[in-house]
Amino acid sequence: MSDCPEEIKRRLGLVQVYTGNGKGKTTAAMGMAFRAVGRGLNVIMLQFLKPPKGYGEHMAAEMLPGFTIEPMGSDHMCGREVTREQDIEDTRRGLARAEEVLTSGEYDMVILDEAINSIRLGLMTPQTLIELLERRAPNTEVVLTGRGVPQEVIDYADLVTEMTLIKHPFDRGVGARKGIEY
């Protein structure tokens, strides 16, 4: 097989899910984005439930042509109070943007980071997500991340990987670290 982007693009179109209580779901999606961009593919990550500032991946994406990250959530960090209504509105906005990018054919890989958590939190339904995925442009690879993937999404996806938590520094009081967790 050639390394020509057009040849690579013809083999795309699967739905992958990274779920579980272990660390590494977004990191796995970022690794795939890094590989895809390296092969000349156009990648976008829409981040549900994540704010527009403060994540290392945002800074890295700015340095990487072909990779765009758009945070679609409010800032839940630093003790800031975010209402459920705001989370619902952010999710609606995220779903509308996801519809645009998934149907445009402009992106070879679309990562919906924390979309599974949005389902778990009751901000969208599994059926809403699946119907959205059904409308994606041909040969658009989709990556979903988040804890608590529902069975309907497992059944729909082509690949589901569960990150299992064995041990974490959080258990010893080590907080989230810049450059490692965010």
Side-chain angles (χ1 to χ4, degrees), residues 112 115-116 119 124-133 144 153:
L112 301 180
I116 301 301
I119 293 171
M124 75 169 93
T125 67
Q127 195 56 38
T128 298
L129 180 60
I130 291 167
E131 288 171 3
L132 175 64
L133 297 175
L144 307 171
V153 176

Side-chain angles (χ1 to χ4, degrees), residues 90-111:
D90 290 345
T91 301
R92 280 191 195 123
R93 188 171 46 87
L95 286 168
R97 182 66 177 133
E99 174 93 30
E100 291 172 11
V101 302
L102 283 166
T103 60
S104 72
E106 180 182 347
Y107 299 96
D108 304 303
M109 178 182 286
V110 177
I111 301 167

Side-chain angles (χ1 to χ4, degrees), residues 71-91:
M72 307 304 293
S74 296
D75 190 355
H76 290 82
M77 303 303 206
C78 302
R80 182 165 173 232
E81 189 70 27
V82 176
T83 66
R84 179 156 180 84
E85 291 75 23
Q86 183 62 53
D87 278 340
I88 290 168
E89 180 56 36
D90 290 345
T91 301

Side-chain angles (χ1 to χ4, degrees), residues 37-75:
V37 169
R39 295 290 183 175
L41 303 178
N42 197 17
V43 179
I44 188 167
M45 174 185 270
L46 301 182
Q47 293 184 307
F48 290 82
L49 303 172
K50 289 186 177 175
K53 294 182 190 174
Y55 284 79
E57 60 258 30
H58 301 162
M59 294 170 252
E62 290 174 6
M63 295 182 253
L64 197 58
F67 185 31
T68 303
I69 297 179
E70 294 182 18
M72 307 304 293
S74 296
D75 190 355

